[in-house]
Amino acid sequence: MADWAESSGKTRRLLKIYLSREGNGRYSWRLGIGAALAIGAPLAVGICLNRTAAGAVAAVAAWLAYLTVPSGDTRSRAGTLASAALCNSVATMIGALTASRPDLTAIAMALLALLVPLSAVGTIPLICLVLGTDQGHGVDPVMHYWLFLLGPVWAAVLLFIPFFGGPHAPNTARAPRRSIKAWLSSNATSLRVSAMQGTPQFRFALRLAVCFVLAFCMVRLFAPAHADWALIGIVTTMRPSWRLTTRRVIKRMGGQILGAAMAAALLASLQGSPEVIVIIVIALCGTLARPTRSVNYGFWPVFDVPAMLLLLSLESPMSWVDALERVGNNAAGALIAIGATAVLWPDREERKIIERFAALRASCADFLDEMTTCTEAGLASPTARTRRALTLAAAIADLELARQRLSEQRVYHADLPAVIEAATEEAKRLCSIIDLDGERDTAIPRCQCLRALSGLLREVGNEDELTRAPLAQLCQQADEQAVRCAQNDWHGATHDAVVSLLHHTSRATQISRDTRRSSRMIRARA
């Protein structure tokens, strides 16, 4: 009975994840009509010219480009769509040129995977690179490249039209245009900083590159049927964190299973049907698929899988076996993505907690010092106070981001997010206490209390000092200073915030030390 209840609970949790919405996404029937045109028009042209295979390739290219989400004013939208079309066509050309050289293909895949976190690149060009290496579509490589250029251009034209892609935002003033050299230098600097700091996005790019190249080598070695679908399964499910990856796998695999069942039924029922009927069904699937992507990603594969398999059936016969192989290969790619996210450079946010708390305490101490200095001089410094406020706000935001990253890890201490949340709340309270007008500052009679509290925050400078100076002694010193300031409620509130912050620092430091010790023990046993 207990096992049944446990399995029922897991099933409900999986179903809840699968049915969860994607932010504030809404279903746009106009976007669906544009999807039908994006995928149906190239097919119709191909049939009219007696080049069905070429029409299918152009339709796939347009379908992938139509996944771009344009936004902003007219100029921004045009730039986004042009950049997406160019990236897709160039990636396809590289795949076609290196198809006979797996070593060059692997290098190209690794370099492109490292660029996936960039908003101007994304995952679609990597999928186009995989498709470009496939030479079994009945179209020569040169024609394949031009079709993958014309298809995205057609999709970009549709998305640029406000009826399909949404209204354009009002034009805004723009910063001076940077040169290509300055743009490359800026991105290189950003990449270097991300690599030195080991940001989650950089680790994700490195993880994707290694995983994708190894999977490509295995695919070329064993050459299973429809092996490219496993590679696409990796790039569409792997995300920067464990939580995001598992959620994407649940949604995608749930939709893949339903979509494969629908595709198998459609392939069986449409066998021998006129190509016009197949095109209508494909366009209908595209109409239903594209808008659901922004509402719930789990519903997207339900209609995307039938559309893609029916498209491929125009090039070569397809059956329910192909639908089953698609699910199996995507499942293999999803499992590889989960394993790589858990093993290759996983997030260890708790190891950086001590440094983040140190930055928060230093910012709070600077606040106290600045206020005390202004009070002793009988002056208020709005500029200095604003600067300190921005510094403290940045430290609070950094710690809150760390809490969010912790919740997305596979394993983390259950108490640490609550400790971080409590510490940030105390820092915000301290900020609100300090951020007062100049007249109230001049009414403060005893600035030495605030100086002492600031000194206590600075005294806990790192883990070793916290060990040498027990927290109880520091809090006792704070209590002694609070007695001198008991006549002023503001000082008492400041004292409470500082003492609470010290308590949270001690708890977070202890958790971080225990985590490090446990990791060393696990490595020693291994």
Side-chain angles (χ1 to χ4, degrees), residues 336-380:
I336 293 173
I338 289 178
T341 305
V343 176
L344 298 179
W345 305 287
D347 293 335
R348 292 290 184 265
E349 192 64 35
E350 61 272 10
R351 298 180 180 179
K352 304 177 184 178
I353 291 300
I354 295 179
E355 292 80 2
R356 299 187 190 281
F357 266 89
L360 183 67
R361 293 193 309 275
S363 299
C364 292
D366 289 340
F367 252 110
L368 292 171
D369 288 342
E370 182 65 35
M371 182 184 62
T372 307
T373 300
C374 294
T375 303
E376 290 174 340
L379 300 171

Side-chain angles (χ1 to χ4, degrees), residues 484-503:
R484 303 174 186 176
C485 305
Q487 297 177 353
N488 195 305
D489 294 337
W490 185 28
H491 289 81
T494 306
H495 157 263
D496 292 341
V498 170
V499 171
S500 297
L501 193 57
L502 290 175
H503 277 291

Side-chain angles (χ1 to χ4, degrees), residues 72-264:
D73 57 16
T74 302
R75 184 176 176 182
S76 298
R77 180 167 299 206
T80 300
L81 295 174
S83 174
L86 181 62
C87 288
N88 291 356
S89 59
V90 170
T92 305
M93 180 181 65
I94 294 174
L97 293 176
T98 61
S100 59
R101 292 286 304 274
D103 53 340
L104 297 180
T105 304
I107 294 174
M109 286 180 174
L111 294 177
L112 192 55
L114 291 175
L115 300 178
V116 164
L118 297 179
S119 58
V121 180
T123 60
I124 302 301
L126 191 56
I127 296 176
C128 292
L129 177 62
V130 173
L131 297 178
T133 61
D134 183 12
Q135 301 298 313
H137 40 65
V139 180
D140 61 89
V142 177
M143 179 61 69
H144 188 274
Y145 164 71
W146 284 110
L147 292 174
F148 256 83
L149 178 61
L150 294 175
V153 169
W154 167 238
V157 170
L158 291 173
L159 288 173
F160 190 76
I161 300 174
F163 181 84
F164 301 118
H168 297 199
N171 292 329
T172 57
R174 297 181 177 276
R177 181 177 296 180
R178 295 185 301 173
S179 63
I180 297 179
K181 182 179 180 181
W183 182 82
L184 292 175
S185 176
S186 175
N187 282 274
T189 302
S190 177
L191 183 61
R192 183 172 64 254
V193 171
S194 298
M196 294 176 61
Q197 295 179 352
T199 61
Q201 290 293 334
F202 178 77
R203 290 198 303 271
F204 162 61
L206 196 61
R207 187 186 303 132
L208 179 61
V210 172
C211 181
F212 204 81
V213 170
L214 291 179
F216 172 75
C217 294
M218 296 296 293
V219 162
R220 285 302 180 99
L221 181 62
F222 296 102
H226 303 300
D228 293 343
W229 290 344
L231 299 177
I232 295 175
I234 294 174
V235 72
T236 53
T237 54
M238 185 179 291
R239 288 296 176 267
S241 66
W242 170 262
R243 177 177 174 270
L244 294 178
T245 300
T246 53
R247 288 179 63 87
R248 177 56 66 92
V249 168
I250 292 171
K251 286 177 171 290
R252 183 168 179 83
M253 292 314 304
Q256 285 280 331
I257 293 173
L258 296 175
M262 183 184 298

Side-chain angles (χ1 to χ4, degrees), residues 38-62:
I39 199 172
L43 286 174
V45 173
I47 290 177
C48 292
L49 298 178
N50 200 24
R51 300 291 298 271
T52 304
V57 172
V60 171

Side-chain angles (χ1 to χ4, degrees), residues 168-470:
H168 297 199
N171 292 329
T172 57
R174 297 181 177 276
R177 181 177 296 180
R178 295 185 301 173
S179 63
I180 297 179
K181 182 179 180 181
W183 182 82
L184 292 175
S185 176
S186 175
N187 282 274
T189 302
S190 177
L191 183 61
R192 183 172 64 254
V193 171
S194 298
M196 294 176 61
Q197 295 179 352
T199 61
Q201 290 293 334
F202 178 77
R203 290 198 303 271
F204 162 61
L206 196 61
R207 187 186 303 132
L208 179 61
V210 172
C211 181
F212 204 81
V213 170
L214 291 179
F216 172 75
C217 294
M218 296 296 293
V219 162
R220 285 302 180 99
L221 181 62
F222 296 102
H226 303 300
D228 293 343
W229 290 344
L231 299 177
I232 295 175
I234 294 174
V235 72
T236 53
T237 54
M238 185 179 291
R239 288 296 176 267
S241 66
W242 170 262
R243 177 177 174 270
L244 294 178
T245 300
T246 53
R247 288 179 63 87
R248 177 56 66 92
V249 168
I250 292 171
K251 286 177 171 290
R252 183 168 179 83
M253 292 314 304
Q256 285 280 331
I257 293 173
L258 296 175
M262 183 184 298
L266 289 175
L267 288 171
S269 59
L270 294 177
Q271 189 174 6
S273 300
E275 292 179 339
V276 175
I277 301 299
V278 177
I279 293 176
I280 293 175
V281 175
I282 292 174
L284 180 60
C285 290
T287 302
L288 297 174
R290 181 59 185 91
T292 58
R293 184 182 175 92
S294 58
V295 177
N296 187 333
Y297 185 86
F299 297 160
W300 147 262
V302 176
F303 305 104
D304 173 64
V305 172
M308 289 297 99
L309 288 180
L310 289 174
L311 265 175
L312 296 176
S313 69
L314 295 176
E315 302 177 12
S316 59
M318 290 278 177
S319 65
W320 65 269
V321 177
D322 299 280
L324 184 62
E325 289 176 347
R326 182 181 177 91
V327 173
N329 289 334
N330 271 270
L335 290 176
I336 293 173
I338 289 178
T341 305
V343 176
L344 298 179
W345 305 287
D347 293 335
R348 292 290 184 265
E349 192 64 35
E350 61 272 10
R351 298 180 180 179
K352 304 177 184 178
I353 291 300
I354 295 179
E355 292 80 2
R356 299 187 190 281
F357 266 89
L360 183 67
R361 293 193 309 275
S363 299
C364 292
D366 289 340
F367 252 110
L368 292 171
D369 288 342
E370 182 65 35
M371 182 184 62
T372 307
T373 300
C374 294
T375 303
E376 290 174 340
L379 300 171
S381 177
T383 303
R385 184 162 300 169
T386 301
R387 185 174 65 252
R388 299 299 185 188
L390 292 176
T391 303
L392 180 54
I396 293 173
D398 193 30
L399 205 55
E400 289 178 336
L401 181 60
R403 181 172 66 89
Q404 178 183 352
R405 291 174 178 172
L406 272 172
S407 64
E408 295 179 350
Q409 291 184 185
R410 185 170 65 94
V411 179
Y412 61 91
H413 197 286
D415 296 338
L416 192 52
V419 174
I420 295 176
E421 183 178 9
T424 55
E425 290 299 323
E426 291 299 337
K428 292 176 182 177
R429 184 160 72 99
L430 186 63
C431 178
S432 65
I433 294 172
I434 297 173
D435 191 14
L436 299 171
D437 55 74
E439 294 182 359
R440 188 169 184 180
D441 284 351
T442 58
I444 301 175
R446 297 175 180 176
C447 296
Q448 64 271 22
C449 301
L450 301 180
R451 288 284 188 194
L453 293 175
S454 172
L456 291 177
L457 287 172
R458 296 187 188 279
E459 185 173 350
V460 189
N462 54 52
E463 181 180 353
D464 295 333
E465 291 180 5
L466 183 63
T467 304
R468 291 198 300 266

